[in-house]
Amino acid sequence: MKAFLGTGLLGHGFVRAMISKGETVQVWNRTASKAKDLEQYGAKALEDIAAAVSNAEIVHLALKDDATVDVALSEAEPGLAKGTIIVDHTTTSVEGAKKRTAEWQSKGFLYQHAPVFMGPQNALESTGFMLVSGDQRLVKKLEPQLSALTGKLINLGEEPGKAAAMKLTGNLFLVAFTGAIADMISFAHASGISVSELLQLFSEWNPASALPARLKRMTADDFSNPSWRLDMARKDTGLFMQEAASKNIPLTVIPPVADLMDKWIKKGHGPDDWSIIGKIE
């Protein structure tokens, strides 16, 4: 029997997927009605968190942050049998994941952090990506069950906290990417470019395909033989900002990037490849 703590958008999908695969699942949520809603699919909702984890061989969590995970597990502890496996899908800090791994092991339990790049529909359909790291014996034991819940299980090795770090790294990119898209939409709107025209452009030209090559170039420490000179990229960036300012369109992501370009140009790197702005000093 499984237990699932936290039946928000992600947890709701996970629980329904587990039930569809023949699992018996007890559920709990701080807002009890969200757990109760899953009873129509076959889950057993309990308002007492310790009762919800009672007799569970594996307890899954999908909560808000480190603090909510710590509180929920503390409240659930009286209902946990020794040796219970705790699988935490919450996006947390790196140190929090490391701390819980050691703390729960010292109490006689097994804690596996398994954050995901999955939305609610992915959880329901068992698609997307799940990250794990830490004790490889535990990872191997959980691999069949976790693989069944996602499109791809990515094992990042023995270091506890590595999955948390990778999840945060990926989310950082998504936040920055979405911020850049927001700037682009504002700029396009001010320039008379419709959303349908943007969609047409990106259906024919997919800059995302260049991401692996760009990452390699930015971390190779060789910025000679530029494909786009930094000073020329900065010139174009100035044009973005000038055009946006003339139409009173605020840009959020681009101005700090311009400042970063200026820093490297002042160091004499204007003729180098523009990807030098990612160099770690």
Side-chain angles (χ1 to χ4, degrees):
M1 193 272 289
K2 306 290 193 302
F4 208 105
L5 309 180
T7 57
L9 295 176
L10 193 65
H12 189 279
F14 269 133
V15 170
R16 287 181 59 186
M18 288 177 177
I19 293 169
S20 73
K21 294 174 173 60
E23 299 281 4
T24 299
V25 188
Q26 294 184 171
V27 297
W28 170 91
N29 196 77
R30 189 72 65 186
T31 302
S33 59
K34 291 185 177 180
K36 193 75 174 174
D37 182 61
L38 284 162
E39 288 192 330
Q40 64 182 301
Y41 303 105
K44 181 179 180 181
L46 295 109
E47 294 191 20
D48 182 87
I49 192 170
V53 301
S54 178
N55 299 316
E57 59 201 42
I58 300 179
V59 176
H60 292 261
L61 299 91
L63 298 170
K64 180 183 178 181
D65 52 23
D66 288 282
T68 54
V69 170
D70 288 338
V71 170
L73 287 177
S74 176
E75 293 175 351
E77 186 174 0
L80 294 171
K82 291 297 182 183
T84 300
I85 299 172
I86 300 165
V87 179
D88 185 5
H89 303 291
T90 309
T91 299
T92 70
S93 68
V94 177
E95 288 307 311
K98 290 180 178 179
K99 171 179 166 288
R100 279 183 290 278
T101 300
E103 178 184 342
W104 285 95
Q105 183 178 21
S106 70
K107 293 180 178 183
F109 304 96
L110 296 171
Y111 174 90
Q112 177 63 58
H113 193 218
V116 299
F117 292 119
M118 298 169 70
Q121 196 63 28
N122 295 120
L124 180 61
E125 297 173 350
S126 300
T127 57
F129 301 86
M130 185 179 294
L131 313 176
V132 291
S133 68
D135 185 342
Q136 292 298 290
R137 292 170 298 178
L138 178 57
V139 169
K140 186 175 181 179
K141 180 177 181 177
L142 289 171
E143 185 174 2
Q145 299 180 63
L146 297 184
S147 294
L149 294 177
T150 188
K152 184 175 179 60
L153 183 67
I154 302 175
N155 185 351
L156 298 168
E158 296 183 356
E159 183 182 339
K162 178 59 74 70
M166 191 65 80
K167 167 63 174 174
L168 292 176
T169 301
N171 276 10
L172 184 153
F173 173 79
L174 291 177
V175 170
F177 181 57
T178 302
I181 292 174
D183 274 4
M184 180 190 70
I185 291 171
S186 296
F187 184 86
H189 179 73
S191 302
I193 298 172
S194 68
V195 173
S196 62
E197 288 173 316
L198 286 177
L199 290 171
Q200 178 63 31
L201 171 65
F202 289 111
S203 69
E204 298 181 18
W205 171 57
N206 179 16
S209 63
L211 194 154
R214 181 65 48 80
L215 178 59
K216 288 180 181 178
R217 181 69 192 265
M218 293 178 75
T219 55
D221 206 31
D222 178 9
F223 303 99
S224 59
N225 191 26
S227 60
W228 194 14
R229 286 172 51 129
L230 175 59
D231 51 14
M232 296 303 292
R234 179 62 179 88
K235 181 268 295 182
D236 284 9
T237 303
L239 291 175
F240 310 154
M241 296 192 295
Q242 178 182 322
E243 188 72 16
S246 71
K247 295 178 171 63
N248 295 316
I249 298 298
L251 298 179
T252 303
V253 173
I254 293 302
V257 175
D259 291 341
L260 186 58
M261 290 176 166
D262 288 340
K263 183 188 81 169
W264 284 100
I265 289 171
K266 287 179 182 177
K267 292 182 177 181
H269 294 284
D272 291 331
D273 191 84
W274 73 299
S275 59
I276 197 171
I277 64 172
K279 181 180 173 65
I280 297 175
E281 297 182 277

